[in-house]
Amino acid sequence: MPPTSPSPSPTPPPTNPTSAVPSAPGAPTVSLSTLLADADLGLRQVAGPGEDRLVGTIGTTELEDPAPYLLGGELLLIAGVRLPETADGIDAYVRRVVQAGIAALGFGVAPVHDEVPPALVAACDRHGLPLLRIPPGTPFVAVNHAAHAAMAEARHQELRQISEAQAALATAAARPDALKSVLHQLAARLGAWAVLLDPLGNELLAAGNRPEASAAVQLRALVARTTAHARTRSTAGRPQPPTAAAEHHAEFHLTVHTLPAENADGPFVLGVSATSAPTAVHRSVIGSALVLLSLLTTPRHALGTDSRGASALVRLMLGQSPLDVAPLLSSTAPTADSWVVVHGRLTGPAPWATSRPGGDPVQLAALGTALTTPYLDLDGISLRALVPVTTQAPLPDLAPVARLGWTLGVSSPVAAADLAIADRQAGRMLRHAVATGTSSAQHRTQDLTMHSLVSPGDAAALAQARFAPFTEAPAPGPAVLLETLRTWLAHHGSWDRTAAALELHRNTVRRRIAKAAELLDADLQDLDVRMELWFALRWLPGERSAKPATGEIQQEPLSGRKAVAVTANAQAGCGDGPDRR
């Protein structure tokens, strides 16, 4: 009969053969006592220590030396087909399987042996290996099935405990006293003492039964060593990576976990002191608690407010410019960093969509994570966002946002002083993405273009003169006609895509373009005319950044009644009456 777990070389003996464990940490196990208590199996221990052991798997073999093919933690079942005939041979057999780390040996009575050989009983007693007698009516397969059924039930119980603990922790995190509540739930689920310490080692909050003084002293020493190690791994300008450590003593077991730090002093630390070693369930529960505590201890979430964002809002309301306030909104970016404006429209299926201001909190968090920014304005099916970008932290991948059902329009990176321009760029790109059926569209500014080869003064004069007739335009007004013409040109004269982008009926678009052609006295079917108008549109006031891109000539500001009238209220969105849809 072939071995169940072949391996090319023997596994080294475990450190403590009397407490063999399965080879894979956290793998499902069943205790020997559970199998012995199963009346249907009729197993009986006839040799070896009385202590309980965990079995990781069931193996069946009749090899003379199965040790090279064992992983450790097995309940090895044999019928003695090739069991050595002498007492010395049996002793050597038992010694080898004990060194391989098996949990126990099961001997099937009949048809080869009428009873368990006395030499095998003596050898198992001598080497401290539990020996189970398997009665004639119990097939080895039945033992295997019973063991795996017990493992499945144990795993189900573990998953239920983890699920219940995660739900309790999440509920605690939503309470006004979130940190204290999360620690209390963690201590209750672990049956341990949980403590949160600041970067200097001061105890902030604790829950559960406080351990003896020696355990607390040892925990603080472990925290000091762990935080010192975390500081050595940190990189300038980046949060310190999380670090964990553990110490196991005779009477208590200590574990510490650092939380992601955003300050120079170092990380916050979660310490746990328990009277028993952590199990797989305990490790999973601690992991869930660490995620919540990491969120609750960041500056953005501490005390339930973002102090830097609040400061920025106060300064804006008191008259300061976006350029002065922008540095407050990015804790890791210098003043010269750029910003990207994102506009979004919910176009995919999303049963969570809501029309209330602020939107659904869970989806707001998901969008903020995907866009890597907290500066979101979510209102039903509409989204606006400010994303700080640098050369080290560029705009993130937008695919996760598209999978949430959003179509996006993205501006070029601009300085804080040009956010209004970026806002218009993002709006136009959103309309373009919706019209073309793409998930996102981004405004691009090339370094070397025709605009850089023409005098800014001449280009501005052309734009002012070319669109001067729009100042006398009747309803819907110059701003609406200008936006319709711009969108129509951007979509290469497509009536349907322009209508989709502006959310108008195509006949409304046709009337507006006809009115624009009449005012401009131009043949809009002529490609040269379209190119000239597109060029001129780029030099209207408010269309170009105050700080040009590399290699691009900065626009000189336009002045005059006609230029102001053409671009006034460009985003007013005035309708034409009943034809607007």
Side-chain angles (χ1 to χ4, degrees):
M1 188 177 299
T4 57
S5 303
S7 175
S9 59
T11 302
T15 305
N16 182 8
T18 63
S19 58
V21 296
S23 57
T29 59
V30 60
S31 64
L32 280 180
S33 59
T34 300
L35 298 178
L36 290 170
D38 191 332
D40 294 335
L41 296 179
L43 305 182
R44 179 166 56 89
Q45 184 170 345
V46 295
E51 65 184 30
D52 202 2
R53 294 195 177 183
L54 295 179
V55 175
T57 188
I58 308 296
T60 302
T61 182
E62 297 297 343
L63 291 176
E64 292 181 358
D65 183 13
Y69 307 102
L70 300 173
L71 296 176
E74 297 93 346
L75 168 57
L76 189 63
L77 307 181
I78 64 173
V81 175
R82 305 183 68 175
L83 190 71
E85 296 180 357
T86 65
D88 289 342
I90 291 176
D91 186 84
Y93 176 92
V94 172
R95 184 176 65 254
R96 287 193 295 269
V97 296
V98 167
Q99 290 175 347
I102 69 170
L105 183 67
F107 191 90
V109 176
V112 181
H113 295 268
D114 294 333
E115 193 51 68
V116 181
L120 182 60
V121 174
C124 288
D125 278 332
R126 198 160 38 245
H127 293 285
L129 179 66
L131 175 62
L132 309 186
R133 179 185 184 277
I134 305 175
T138 301
F140 286 2
V141 172
V143 179
N144 193 19
H145 286 177
H148 284 284
M151 292 178 190
E153 176 61 23
R155 183 57 178 163
H156 174 74
Q157 294 293 335
E158 289 180 353
L159 292 176
R160 188 179 68 179
Q161 293 175 28
I162 292 172
S163 177
E164 291 175 350
Q166 289 175 338
L169 289 169
T171 301
R175 292 174 56 90
D177 53 344
L179 280 174
K180 183 178 180 180
S181 298
V182 169
L183 277 181
H184 174 77
Q185 282 295 332
L186 178 61
R189 299 288 168 172
L190 300 182
W193 182 59
V195 58
L196 182 67
L197 301 103
D198 69 10
L200 301 179
N202 301 312
E203 181 179 319
L204 298 177
L205 294 168
N209 295 326
R210 183 176 289 272
E212 295 181 359
S214 59
V217 170
Q218 293 280 2
L219 182 64
R220 288 182 179 276
L222 182 59
V223 167
R225 294 195 300 272
T226 305
T227 53
H229 178 64
R231 292 190 188 96
T232 62
R233 296 174 57 201
S234 64
T235 304
R238 293 177 176 269
Q240 296 171 1
T243 303
E247 277 188 5
H248 301 288
H249 300 268
E251 298 179 354
F252 52 85
H253 300 265
L254 308 176
T255 56
V256 298
H257 301 264
T258 66
L259 307 180
E262 295 185 10
N263 55 73
D265 293 331
F268 288 89
V269 182
L270 170 67
V272 176
S273 175
T275 56
S276 59
T279 65
V281 173
H282 291 169
R283 287 191 289 269
S284 180
V285 173
I286 290 175
S288 299
L290 284 172
V291 173
L292 295 173
L293 292 173
S294 298
L295 290 173
L296 294 171
T297 54
T298 56
R300 191 167 294 145
H301 293 81
L303 305 179
T305 183
D306 177 0
S307 59
R308 296 174 64 90
S311 298
L313 176 60
V314 170
R315 297 187 188 187
L316 278 174
M317 296 184 70
L318 294 179
Q320 284 196 266
S321 68
L323 184 62
D324 297 327
V325 171
L328 284 174
L329 300 181
S330 181
S331 60
T332 61
T335 305
D337 278 358
S338 300
W339 293 81
V340 166
V341 177
V342 178
H343 282 207
R345 184 180 302 170
L346 187 61
T347 54
W352 48 264
T354 174
S355 60
R356 71 177 186 269
D360 181 80
V362 175
Q363 295 306 318
L364 190 64
L367 287 170
T369 301
L371 290 172
T372 66
T373 180
Y375 309 119
L376 303 174
D377 177 18
L378 180 61
D379 188 4
I381 62 172
S382 298
L383 165 71
R384 292 190 300 176
L386 279 177
V387 183
V389 294
T390 66
T391 54
Q392 292 79 21
L395 187 71
D397 180 18
L398 299 178
V401 187
R403 287 194 291 270
L404 292 174
W406 291 88
T407 298
L408 301 179
V410 184
S411 75
S412 296
V414 300
D418 294 321
L419 285 174
I421 294 174
D423 186 52
R424 290 193 286 274
Q425 291 176 355
R428 288 199 294 271
M429 290 299 100
L430 174 60
R431 291 192 291 272
H432 176 75
V434 171
T436 56
T438 56
S439 61
S440 64
Q442 183 171 8
H443 184 274
R444 305 288 183 184
T445 301
Q446 296 178 341
D447 291 340
L448 182 62
T449 68
M450 290 295 295
H451 297 276
S452 64
L453 304 179
V454 180
S455 165
D458 292 342
L462 170 63
Q464 180 176 340
R466 199 68 184 89
F467 291 102
F470 272 23
T471 60
E472 307 299 334
V480 174
L481 285 181
L482 187 67
E483 185 64 15
T484 304
L485 177 61
R486 179 191 291 109
T487 306
W488 183 75
L489 291 173
H491 290 92
H492 310 290
S494 170
W495 306 109
D496 291 331
R497 288 165 62 186
T498 303
L502 295 174
E503 296 183 302
L504 297 172
H505 194 281
R506 66 197 309 270
N507 289 342
T508 303
V509 175
R510 285 182 178 273
R511 283 199 301 273
R512 291 184 182 180
I513 296 301
K515 176 61 68 176
E518 178 184 346
L519 291 170
L520 296 173
D521 190 21
D523 180 7
L524 296 184
Q525 300 306 315
D526 187 323
L527 186 58
D528 289 337
V529 174
R530 293 191 193 185
M531 182 174 63
E532 177 192 348
L533 293 175
W534 183 253
F535 181 93
L537 281 170
R538 297 287 299 278
W539 284 94
L540 287 175
E543 290 297 314
R544 301 177 67 78
S545 300
K547 182 179 180 181
T550 303
E552 185 178 349
I553 300 176
Q554 183 174 357
Q555 175 193 355
E556 296 177 357
L558 298 180
S559 61
R561 181 186 61 83
K562 291 184 178 181
V564 173
V566 169
T567 57
N569 302 319
Q571 299 300 313
C574 301
D576 304 66
D579 282 332
R580 179 172 175 85
R581 291 170 171 80

